Amino acid sequence: MNQTITNSSDQKRALTASTLTFTVCFAVWTIFSIIGVKIKADLGLTDTQFGILVATPILTGSVSRIFLGIWTDQYGGRLIYTVQMLLTAFAVFLLTLVSSYTMFLVAALGVGLAGGSFAVGVAYVAKWYPKERQGTALGIFGMGNVGAAVTNFGAPFLMLAFGGQWQGVAQVYAVIMVIAAVLFFVFTKEDPDVAARKQAGVKHASFLEQLEPLKNQQVWRFSLYYFFVFGAFVALALWLPRYYVGAYGLELKTAGMLAAAYALPGSIFRALGGWLSDKWGARTVMYWTFIASVICTFFLSYPATDYTIAGIEGPINFNITIPLWLFVALTIVLGFFMSLGKAAVYKHIPTYYPNHVGSVGGIVGLIGGLGGFCLPIAFGFMNDVIGVWTSCFMLLTVIIAIALTWMHFTVLSLEKKRTPELRGPRNLPELESLHD
């Protein structure tokens, strides 16, 4: 990890610019959560086709993270971030020129580059801060997830301003992305590691050398955690507007606002998750996240049910349905704990892999992003096949249970090998095993 001394002003500038830029990128990445509903109506798509459409940008954003993360380690976040945003802006503008479902999917692949910005930002921001402050810094950067709430809340009103035409929303987003790219390049500096390496004339590590840590099973376990805390977060941010319209019969504008109520705490409390991870340990925060999340999704998965029981004076009929207010409240709680978990996962990476933040952060982000790609498709498929709205939460309950079980038994196994003084809420028990 970078040992170059950096001043507070440069740290704040790098963190602020990266966070604001990531917010713009995330808003663009989730644009189909709103305009996709209009496109679905225009093209007469099924729920499965709609799920594929909103998930396609997530695929590109996920796969690109491993490459963008490594290139950031090699060439610096300032350059890679700027190029990535300019290419994304071009793709978003091209989106307005297509009309068939197939071409929408092709254009959506380009829009998905916006999601790759996360791996760039993590590697860039981590270089500016010492290990004991990286959890908080990366948590603040991760607050850029609030871009999903910006889209869910603001895009419906923007669409109304353009007379219900979604093309105007895409054009505005493309312009904002270009402006963000230019401002980022102007107001940021090259990260300390890259600057020091250039000054010393040292060549960066090769692509294959950066991939070396991916042989460790631990990286893939972290990836599963992120598959839920981030992938499911993105999936629900994309799916909830459709869910509210279909399950509760709400208008798109209202549905978007309620989906934003979920996405907002799922973003802004990420900084709190980073701070808690620095103070109490990432492992402890992950336990909080998984336990609270499995409780929330279990209740959210209960479908509206009509019951008939044999009463003394005849059949007694009653219905159990989660009212809208309770459903919204549970999603807000779920989003809050997801935000803590996202920060906790990325607290691990610069601690365990200080010289491979880009590659390891990229693969973890890739798997997490694939959750955002696979889950909306699974949600749509389960709707079409099972025909139960709450089936999406049934699937999430199973995923969380698997992640929690794997984490718990791994921690128990590792702690058996540790002496008592190595244990405690701040301890990361796997750390010593890396040097065995």
Side-chain angles (χ1 to χ4, degrees), residues 136-404:
T136 302
L138 293 178
I140 293 172
F141 166 73
M143 288 174 62
N145 286 169
V146 76
V150 172
T151 289
N152 283 335
F153 180 79
F157 293 95
L158 189 58
M159 190 184 302
L160 288 176
F162 282 97
Q165 300 298 313
W166 63 266
Q167 290 86 349
V169 178
Q171 291 167 355
V172 170
Y173 272 38
V175 172
I176 293 175
M177 180 71 88
V178 170
I179 294 173
V182 173
L183 291 178
F184 181 83
F185 189 80
V186 170
F187 288 102
T188 58
K189 296 182 179 181
E190 200 163 49
D191 71 61
D193 275 13
V194 174
R197 194 168 60 228
K198 287 183 177 180
Q199 186 175 5
V202 177
K203 186 179 180 181
H204 60 71
S206 69
F207 195 89
L208 291 179
E209 288 173 334
Q210 290 286 352
L211 292 175
E212 190 68 22
L214 305 190
K215 297 178 181 178
N216 195 319
Q217 186 188 69
Q218 178 195 58
V219 174
W220 301 98
R221 182 160 46 83
F222 292 164
S223 298
L224 174 62
Y225 302 165
Y226 210 61
F227 184 90
F228 169 69
V229 295
F230 177 75
F233 167 78
V234 173
L236 286 177
L238 294 170
W239 186 254
L240 278 178
R242 166 66 183 141
Y243 188 100
Y244 281 124
V245 170
Y248 288 97
L250 304 180
E251 295 181 354
L252 180 59
K253 181 174 67 174
T254 305
M257 294 177 66
L258 293 180
Y262 156 76
L264 192 61
S267 308
I268 61 175
F269 289 106
R270 190 162 180 166
L272 174 63
W275 179 81
L276 290 172
S277 296
D278 282 340
K279 183 175 179 62
W280 299 106
R283 180 186 65 182
T284 301
V285 176
M286 289 307 304
Y287 270 115
W288 297 345
T289 296
F290 286 147
I291 292 172
S293 295
V294 77
I295 293 172
C296 288
T297 56
F298 176 79
F299 284 106
L300 287 169
S301 66
Y302 194 88
T305 308
D306 293 313
Y307 289 94
T308 299
I309 61 175
I312 296 176
E313 298 180 0
I316 299 176
N317 301 310
F318 63 94
N319 172 272
I320 295 179
T321 301
I322 297 178
L324 179 60
W325 68 267
L326 179 58
F327 183 93
V328 173
L330 287 172
T331 61
I332 291 174
V333 174
L334 179 63
F336 169 76
F337 280 99
M338 280 178 156
S339 70
L340 301 186
K342 284 182 284 188
V345 172
Y346 269 86
K347 166 63 178 177
H348 290 79
I349 294 172
T351 301
Y352 294 136
Y353 306 99
N355 298 317
H356 301 276
V357 177
S359 58
V360 177
I363 193 64
V364 172
L366 186 158
I367 301 300
L370 286 179
F373 168 74
C374 298
L375 290 175
I377 298 175
F379 294 166
F381 178 78
M382 293 172 74
N383 265 16
D384 289 336
V385 174
I386 300 176
V388 176
W389 277 108
T390 60
S391 58
C392 57
F393 295 104
M394 298 176 189
L395 176 60
L396 293 182
T397 303
V398 173
I399 293 173
I400 304 166
I402 293 173
L404 175 60

Side-chain angles (χ1 to χ4, degrees), residues 78-100:
R78 183 170 180 246
L79 173 64
I80 300 301
Y81 222 152
T82 303
V83 173
Q84 171 262 321
M85 283 189 287
L86 291 175
L87 290 176
T88 302
F90 181 69
V92 174
F93 180 77
L94 288 181
L95 183 66
T96 64
L97 304 180
V98 303
S99 56
S100 69

Side-chain angles (χ1 to χ4, degrees), residues 30-93:
T30 56
I31 190 174
F32 280 101
S33 66
I34 298 301
I35 70 172
V37 177
K38 186 69 167 62
I39 294 171
K40 178 182 185 298
D42 292 344
L43 300 182
L45 306 179
T46 65
D47 276 335
T48 300
Q49 290 174 315
F50 172 75
I52 294 173
L53 177 63
V54 300
T56 297
I58 312 304
L59 175 63
T60 313
S62 304
V63 174
S64 65
R65 287 182 175 193
I66 183 65
F67 302 101
L68 290 172
I70 292 176
W71 289 337
T72 300
D73 280 341
Q74 293 178 328
Y75 304 108
R78 183 170 180 246
L79 173 64
I80 300 301
Y81 222 152
T82 303
V83 173
Q84 171 262 321
M85 283 189 287
L86 291 175
L87 290 176
T88 302
F90 181 69
V92 174
F93 180 77

